[in-house]
Amino acid sequence: MEECRFETSELQASFMMSTPLWSDSWSLCNAADSAGNIQTQHVAGIMYVALPKVVVMNQPEHLVGLEVAGDGFFSALSSSLPSGEPPLMVNGAVRDLFVSSYRLIQSQITQGLELEETKQVVITGHSTGGALAALTALWLLSQPSPLPFRLLCITFGSPLLGNQSLSSSVSRSRLAHKFCHVVSVHDHIPRGNDDQFWPFGTYLFCSDSGGLCLDNADSVRGMFRILNSTGTPNIEEHQRYGHYVSTLSHQFLISRSFHGGNISDNSYEAGVALAVESLGFSIDQESGVLVKECIETATKKSRAPILRASELAIELGNVLPSRLEIQWYKDSCEASPKQLGYYDNFKQFSNQRETRVNMGRVKLGIFWDRVFDMVEKNELPFDFHLGKKWVYASQFYQLLTEPLDIAYFYKYTYSRKRGHYMKSGNRPKRYEVIDKCWKEKGEPHKEKRARTRYASTTQDTCFWAKLEEAKECLDDLSCESSDAQKLTSLWDKIVGFESYANTLVEMKEVSKDVIAKNSSYSVWVAKLKEFKVKRANGVVDESDAMET
């Protein structure tokens, strides 16, 4: 594996187990299991919530739909499900346990937060309590409003919770890093025997020799298959997590030696060998070779999103000339004696200049469609879409280019049967994704004040689409009609757009192309004024219901 210079799965496990999170979590889990009820505790500014395990569970590997767990409990996860993908499903017994106890859990968390202010909450559990903790964490993370605290879920020996759709949805929703599952290599409970169940989050595999971390679902399943085929499960192991937490926390803090012979001079090969040994396998044995292959595959998969993001950064630079071409086109249109903005120029003319701009528009659209397709398929780092570079680059692209997409739509595609740009799925999905990313970035609310000069680009990228709808409404209103209800509806839409547009102009949230003398907007304003004069003079015969 020449492209990988370092193997970090054991190093990650070493770091994680050397923190007090694990010992504090396990200590409270043990107390919850002994007492048979929920336990809470505040330690060093962190609130721990431990859910007890349930000894007997009916149909422990029976999958049921996640949505039936309540009224919109997990709507955020369900909404991220692509069309055609199987529904989200979870362990039926865990779901029933959650439905019967979520109010009590919520009450305990609320009381704990009121008792002592904290910015970090750790929900934890052992065995089936861990599965309940994971489902509870998913519920909290699916709330429509952001949580007032950072949330982490740590489980010990937890059985798998749901199907592949749930695993994929958690990854797509950028929530996988909120979950860490501690699993003994000899414990059969977390592995299960049903291929319908899939893991999500980071898995810390531990043995008496050490541990390693895997955070790719396929790699975790691969490790489970290796463990099932190379060793005999030990029922007693399910109760030995206290031993691993206390032993490994100290073991990882002291230097350790390699017992598998001569260690490789290659840093990556040496890291893999240490990771294999940390699970109690030898690199010279067949089972050790299988573990080595699994670790190498996991390393490739974990590096792939980072490499793709790096490649996209280069491609972003390659499409920069197309963006600059559109910017130049916009500036030249605003300076033209025609006094038409770039939206109207692009819509009305088809010269060589417009052809070049259109090629750039298409090229940029293909690039950003590819970016967001990769985001949706979880092929990029989990926080990629929140990176400032990409958030601002995508928004600047949208501000500059979506007006041209709208112009192209009304020039070549629009018909009354198909509907307007904002309706019937005519707006490209990439713009909806950009809107969502910008919203998730969580810009602080600031009081709106009028700009001192007009914006370089109109801040509502759908302004022109709304104008096209208003133009059609005014044309329809000018035709004779005896349908008072329709006339009222048309007039309400016109008045609504007029008010909205006036506000944008007054706040200078539009660019100069909007208020150009011969722009579509300026023409529409003049036509509306003329219509109002005729109506006031009784030239237009409208229903009294049209009165504002």
Side-chain angles (χ1 to χ4, degrees):
M1 188 178 293
E2 297 179 357
E3 75 276 12
C4 297
R5 298 180 59 192
F6 300 102
E7 205 301 305
T8 59
S9 60
E10 193 211 15
L11 181 63
Q12 184 180 359
S14 302
F15 172 75
M16 293 170 70
M17 289 298 287
S18 64
T19 70
L21 284 172
W22 314 98
S23 56
D24 291 340
S25 295
W26 173 254
S27 177
L28 200 61
C29 279
N30 202 27
D33 289 346
S34 299
N37 54 40
I38 302 171
Q39 298 288 310
T40 62
Q41 184 178 15
H42 287 82
V43 180
I46 301 174
M47 176 180 168
Y48 292 84
V49 181
L51 308 183
K53 66 180 180 181
V54 177
V55 178
V56 179
M57 296 180 66
N58 297 324
Q59 297 179 310
E61 294 190 346
H62 174 58
L63 281 171
V64 298
L66 178 63
E67 290 190 0
V68 301
D71 183 14
F73 281 169
F74 304 92
S75 57
L77 289 175
S78 301
S79 62
S80 68
L81 193 67
S83 59
E85 188 166 311
L88 307 181
M89 304 191 78
V90 295
N91 184 307
V94 176
R95 181 215 67 184
D96 293 342
L97 185 60
F98 169 77
V99 171
S100 64
S101 59
Y102 81 92
R103 293 187 185 278
L104 177 60
I105 297 172
Q106 184 181 38
S107 174
Q108 293 280 354
I109 294 175
T110 302
Q111 291 178 18
L113 292 174
E114 292 175 349
L115 183 65
E116 183 176 330
E117 184 178 355
T118 180
K119 296 296 183 180
Q120 175 82 53
V121 173
V122 175
I123 298 181
T124 185
H126 170 233
S127 188
T128 52
L132 177 59
L135 188 56
T136 301
L138 284 177
W139 167 56
L140 291 171
L141 293 167
S142 296
Q143 300 300 307
S145 300
L147 295 174
F149 51 80
R150 296 188 303 276
L151 180 66
L152 177 65
C153 177
I154 300 175
T155 72
F156 300 88
S158 168
L160 296 174
L161 179 60
N163 63 350
Q164 184 178 6
S165 293
L166 178 66
S167 175
S168 300
S169 183
V170 170
S171 296
R172 274 193 303 271
S173 301
R174 310 297 187 270
L175 300 177
H177 66 290
K178 301 284 189 180
F179 298 84
C180 184
H181 310 281
V182 182
V183 172
S184 164
V185 296
H186 304 295
D187 187 1
H188 70 288
I189 298 297
R191 307 178 203 168
N193 297 311
D194 193 334
D195 285 340
Q196 296 182 86
F197 286 84
W198 276 67
F200 59 84
T202 298
Y203 273 72
L204 195 162
F205 291 91
C206 57
S207 72
D208 287 322
S209 301
L212 63 82
C213 288
L214 298 177
D215 56 12
N216 177 272
D218 288 318
S219 300
V220 173
R221 281 167 60 88
M223 184 62 75
F224 281 156
R225 285 193 292 269
I226 293 172
L227 295 176
N228 281 331
S229 63
T230 57
T232 303
N234 186 342
I235 297 178
E236 295 180 357
E237 276 292 312
H238 195 53
Q239 307 299 327
R240 292 190 72 223
Y241 287 96
H243 160 75
Y244 288 123
V245 169
S246 61
T247 302
L248 298 183
S249 293
H250 295 288
Q251 180 175 324
F252 282 135
L253 292 175
I254 62 175
S255 59
R256 53 171 298 222
S257 58
F258 179 62
H259 303 291
N262 296 325
I263 194 165
S264 173
D265 292 333
N266 181 287
S267 60
Y268 174 74
E269 292 294 337
V272 171
L274 286 170
V276 171
E277 188 180 87
S278 70
L279 291 187
F281 292 91
S282 171
I283 202 73
D284 299 323
Q285 299 174 345
E286 181 180 355
S287 57
V289 173
L290 293 175
V291 173
K292 177 177 180 290
E293 292 175 351
C294 182
I295 293 172
E296 290 176 341
T297 301
T299 303
K300 284 182 179 179
K301 290 182 177 181
S302 64
R303 284 176 55 84
I306 300 173
L307 294 175
R308 292 191 194 101
S310 300
E311 292 169 358
L312 282 179
I314 296 173
E315 292 180 32
L316 179 62
N318 293 337
V319 298
L320 179 60
S322 297
R323 196 189 77 184
L324 294 176
E325 175 81 23
I326 296 176
Q327 182 66 58
W328 170 83
Y329 178 71
K330 180 179 186 299
D331 293 342
S332 63
C333 287
E334 290 179 2
S336 170
K338 294 179 183 178
Q339 298 192 54
L340 281 173
Y342 80 130
Y343 171 82
D344 291 298
N345 263 286
F346 190 76
K347 183 182 175 185
Q348 295 179 24
F349 301 103
S350 300
N351 299 323
Q352 185 177 0
R353 185 175 64 163
E354 280 72 34
T355 300
R356 287 200 311 271
V357 169
N358 188 53
M359 290 175 62
R361 178 190 70 86
V362 172
K363 186 175 182 180
L364 286 167
I366 292 173
F367 170 76
W368 285 104
D369 279 341
R370 180 166 171 264
V371 169
F372 293 123
D373 183 61
M374 294 172 73
V375 169
E376 187 174 283
K377 292 180 179 177
N378 204 38
E379 295 177 352
L380 296 170
F382 76 91
D383 57 351
F384 172 86
H385 67 305
L386 297 179
K388 286 186 176 181
K389 172 182 177 179
W390 290 98
V391 170
Y392 286 113
S394 62
Q395 197 203 31
F396 188 78
Y397 154 74
Q398 180 185 18
L399 288 168
L400 185 64
T401 310
E402 186 166 16
L404 297 185
D405 281 330
I406 296 170
Y408 189 89
F409 174 82
Y410 282 100
K411 184 176 183 178
Y412 295 107
T413 309
Y414 170 70
S415 67
R416 286 183 179 258
K417 182 178 181 180
R418 178 162 183 168
H420 283 283
Y421 178 84
M422 297 291 290
K423 300 176 181 177
S424 307
N426 291 321
R427 190 188 187 203
K429 185 179 178 181
R430 59 180 174 270
Y431 294 128
E432 297 174 359
V433 175
I434 293 173
D435 287 341
K436 182 180 179 182
C437 291
W438 187 249
K439 182 179 179 181
E440 288 180 358
K441 186 178 181 296
E443 288 291 294
H445 175 74
K446 295 181 180 179
E447 183 181 353
K448 280 281 187 180
R449 294 183 180 179
R451 297 170 180 260
T452 56
R453 57 183 178 181
Y454 289 103
S456 58
T457 52
T458 300
Q459 297 303 287
D460 183 355
T461 58
C462 293
F463 172 83
W464 295 104
K466 296 173 183 176
L467 172 63
E468 294 290 349
E469 291 189 44
K471 286 168 59 179
E472 184 176 274
C473 288
L474 186 56
D475 290 341
D476 290 347
L477 194 61
S478 299
C479 300
E480 292 185 7
S481 174
S482 57
D483 189 338
Q485 186 175 0
K486 181 179 179 181
L487 293 173
T488 301
S489 175
L490 290 171
W491 184 249
D492 287 343
K493 291 178 181 179
I494 291 171
V495 171
F497 175 78
E498 181 186 29
S499 174
Y500 146 82
N502 285 340
T503 300
L504 284 184
V505 173
E506 288 171 4
M507 300 293 288
K508 292 185 170 59
E509 292 285 306
V510 297
S511 61
K512 291 180 180 179
D513 64 313
V514 171
I515 57 172
K517 181 179 179 181
N518 298 319
S519 73
S520 295
Y521 174 69
S522 296
V523 172
W524 181 85
V525 170
K527 288 182 66 175
L528 178 60
K529 184 178 180 180
E530 180 183 351
F531 178 85
K532 288 181 176 179
V533 170
K534 289 183 178 180
R535 183 172 154 228
N537 294 333
V539 176
V540 182
D541 182 18
E542 248 84 52
S543 167
D544 290 339
M546 259 179 45
E547 294 297 332
T548 53

